[in-house]
């Protein structure tokens, strides 16, 4: 069974540009989460999808971040325009059900904004 | 959600048991204790979780004190591949799944 995959693995962009990160959850997992770790900080929750609906987006830092999950399969996280402080590693995780079930994490996308 | 306190780092000799402590003195009755780890350059990985009884799986054992104010993750025979940051996380039973990571404990397993 394939795990959670994320694309790209690395992205280097200039301040002001747009970047789109993609996450493919484990097949059949209705729950999809985005997290990120910015330099020197702890891993922070961004948002949670249940199928195509946003269940919790309390961790989204500002309106430069847009997450979508059309059709309830893969998800994209767009940063527009990117700022220097957006640099970090963005993780995606999925689980079959919400609540207390374990989350399976992808390897992350390392974003560098110069 | 309850906060957790973990040591910043600890070393462990290969082949020996690694005992990782976690304090969660403000834990509520409906909150579970979870452990995840992050090996360098990988995403976090689930290890184990429990409510009040001790738990064991193929990776580790979780010992929760009777008052539930602290717990210990035990890696029975540490290997070099167990070098990672270990996170103790408290989650309410009615949680929709959001994980709140702290700073964790950097565990280094040495030959």
């Amino acid at each position: 069974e394939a795990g959670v995959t994320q694309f790209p693995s690395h992205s280097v962009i200039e301040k002001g540009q747009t970047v789109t990160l993609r996450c493919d959850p484990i097949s059949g997992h209705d729950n999809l989460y985005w997290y990120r770790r910015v330099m020197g900080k702890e891993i922070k929750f961004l948002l949670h999808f249940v199928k195509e609906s946003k269940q919790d987006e309390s961790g989204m830092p500002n309106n430069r971040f847009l997450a979508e999950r059309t059709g309830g399969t893969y998800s994209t996280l767009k940063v527009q325009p990117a700022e220097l402080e957006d640099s970090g590693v963005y993780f995606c995780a999925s689980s079959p059900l919400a609540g207390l079930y374990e989350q399976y994490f992808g390897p992350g996308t390392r974003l560098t904004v110069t | 959600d309850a906060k957790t306190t973990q040591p910043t780092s600890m070393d462990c000799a290969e082949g020996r048991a690694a005992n990782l402590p976690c304090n969660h003195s403000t834990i509520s009755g409906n909150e579970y204790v979870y452990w995840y780890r992050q090996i360098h350059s990988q995403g976090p990985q689930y290890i184990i979780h429990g409510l009040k009884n001790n738990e064991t799986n193929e990776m580790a054992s979780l010992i929760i004190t009777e008052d539930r104010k602290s717990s210990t993750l035990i890696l029975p025979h540490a290997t070099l591949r167990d070098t990672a940051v270990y996170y103790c996380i408290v989650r309410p039973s009615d949680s929709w799944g959001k994980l709140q990571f702290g700073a964790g404990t950097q565990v280094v397993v040495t030959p």
Side-chain angles (χ1 to χ4, degrees):
Chain A
E1 178 182 283
V4 176
T5 58
Q6 293 187 244
F7 182 83
S9 57
H10 295 86
S11 180
V12 180
I13 62 172
E14 294 182 354
K15 176 182 174 181
Q17 290 186 324
T18 298
V19 63
T20 300
L21 314 181
R22 173 171 169 144
C23 168
D24 285 78
I26 293 172
S27 178
H29 283 196
D30 286 342
N31 292 269
L32 188 149
Y33 307 84
W34 284 97
Y35 296 83
R36 75 171 181 176
R37 183 206 295 275
V38 296
M39 189 65 68
K41 299 292 182 61
E42 300 166 358
I43 299 172
K44 293 292 187 183
F45 165 82
L46 295 178
L47 87 159
H48 169 205
F49 282 101
V50 178
K51 296 185 179 179
E52 66 276 7
S53 300
K54 294 176 184 176
Q55 175 63 38
D56 180 357
E57 52 184 328
S58 61
M60 295 289 267
N62 51 61
N63 59 10
R64 295 186 295 105
F65 289 75
L66 176 64
E68 295 180 321
R69 192 182 182 195
T70 306
T73 54
Y74 70 91
S75 174
T76 58
L77 180 65
K78 179 189 289 188
V79 185
Q80 179 182 30
E83 298 289 345
L84 299 178
E85 63 264 26
D86 300 331
S87 295
V89 182
Y90 289 75
F91 295 104
C92 174
S94 72
S95 67
L97 295 170
L100 300 175
Y101 293 85
E102 67 176 282
Q103 294 178 20
Y104 298 83
F105 281 78
T109 292
R110 179 171 295 278
L111 174 64
T112 301
V113 183
T114 62
Chain B
D1 297 352
K3 300 296 183 186
T4 62
T5 303
Q6 299 178 251
T8 302
S9 63
M10 61 184 298
D11 294 338
C12 178
E14 186 178 22
R16 304 292 295 271
N19 296 281
L20 283 62
C22 178
N23 285 318
H24 30 78
S25 58
T26 60
I27 194 169
S28 301
N30 71 336
E31 290 182 314
Y32 285 70
V33 179
Y34 276 71
W35 284 83
Y36 278 75
R37 73 180 183 182
Q38 186 182 16
I39 296 171
H40 184 61
S41 297
Q42 298 182 19
Q45 175 190 26
Y46 166 83
I47 301 173
I48 198 167
H49 75 278
L51 182 62
K52 55 183 178 181
N53 297 320
N54 298 337
E55 302 289 343
T56 295
N57 62 21
E58 65 279 4
M59 289 183 67
S61 294
L62 174 60
I63 308 298
I64 302 174
T65 58
E66 191 169 345
D67 63 8
R68 303 209 320 120
K69 293 185 177 182
S70 65
S71 60
T72 300
L73 178 74
I74 301 173
L75 306 177
H77 305 287
T79 70
L80 299 180
R81 288 172 297 182
D82 292 321
T83 293
V85 179
Y86 287 76
Y87 299 96
C88 172
I89 300 169
V90 171
R91 296 171 75 188
S93 60
D94 57 355
S95 165
W96 271 97
K98 173 172 62 178
L99 292 170
Q100 294 184 311
F101 291 86
T105 297
Q106 172 67 64
V107 173
V108 176
V109 181
T110 56

